[in-house]
């Protein structure tokens, strides 16, 4: 993988990490204010999708090495 391509993937991964943290904070705030459980559940699903995308990108950066 080229250095440029790897740098782009790292940048995207950093943005996804930040977005994941933002969703986490929003979910905690929603729970604290007693927001509708359905809305909280939807936010958690979006957060999970972001985490899955992040895992896929990290797998591209760090290849699996069989020991």
């Amino acid at each position: 993988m080229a250095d440029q391509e790897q740098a782009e993937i790292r940048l995207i991964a950093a943005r996804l990490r930040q977005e994941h943290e933002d969703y986490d904070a929003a979910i905690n705030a929603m729970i604290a204010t007693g927001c509708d459980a359905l809305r909280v559940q939807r936010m958690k699903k979006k957060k999970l999708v972001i985490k899955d995308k992040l895992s896929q990108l990290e797998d591209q950066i760090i290849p699996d090495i069989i020991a």
Side-chain angles (χ1 to χ4, degrees):
M1 180 180 301
D3 290 338
Q4 178 70 23
E5 191 176 327
Q6 191 172 12
E8 289 175 11
I9 291 173
R10 288 183 189 275
L11 181 62
I12 294 169
R15 288 181 186 156
L16 286 175
R17 275 189 214 98
Q18 182 61 48
E19 191 174 347
H20 187 265
E21 290 175 13
D22 292 345
Y23 270 103
D24 194 39
I27 290 168
N28 289 334
M30 290 170 72
I31 291 170
T33 59
C35 190
D36 182 24
L38 183 60
R39 285 186 179 183
V40 172
Q41 184 179 8
R42 287 179 181 158
M43 292 287 280
K44 285 183 178 182
K45 282 186 178 184
K46 290 179 183 180
K47 182 180 161 188
L48 184 60
V49 168
I50 291 170
K51 185 168 182 155
D52 289 342
K53 288 179 185 177
L54 184 59
S55 294
Q56 289 174 353
L57 289 175
E58 288 174 346
D59 286 345
Q60 288 179 4
I61 295 171
I62 305 168
D64 290 337
I65 299 173
I66 300 173

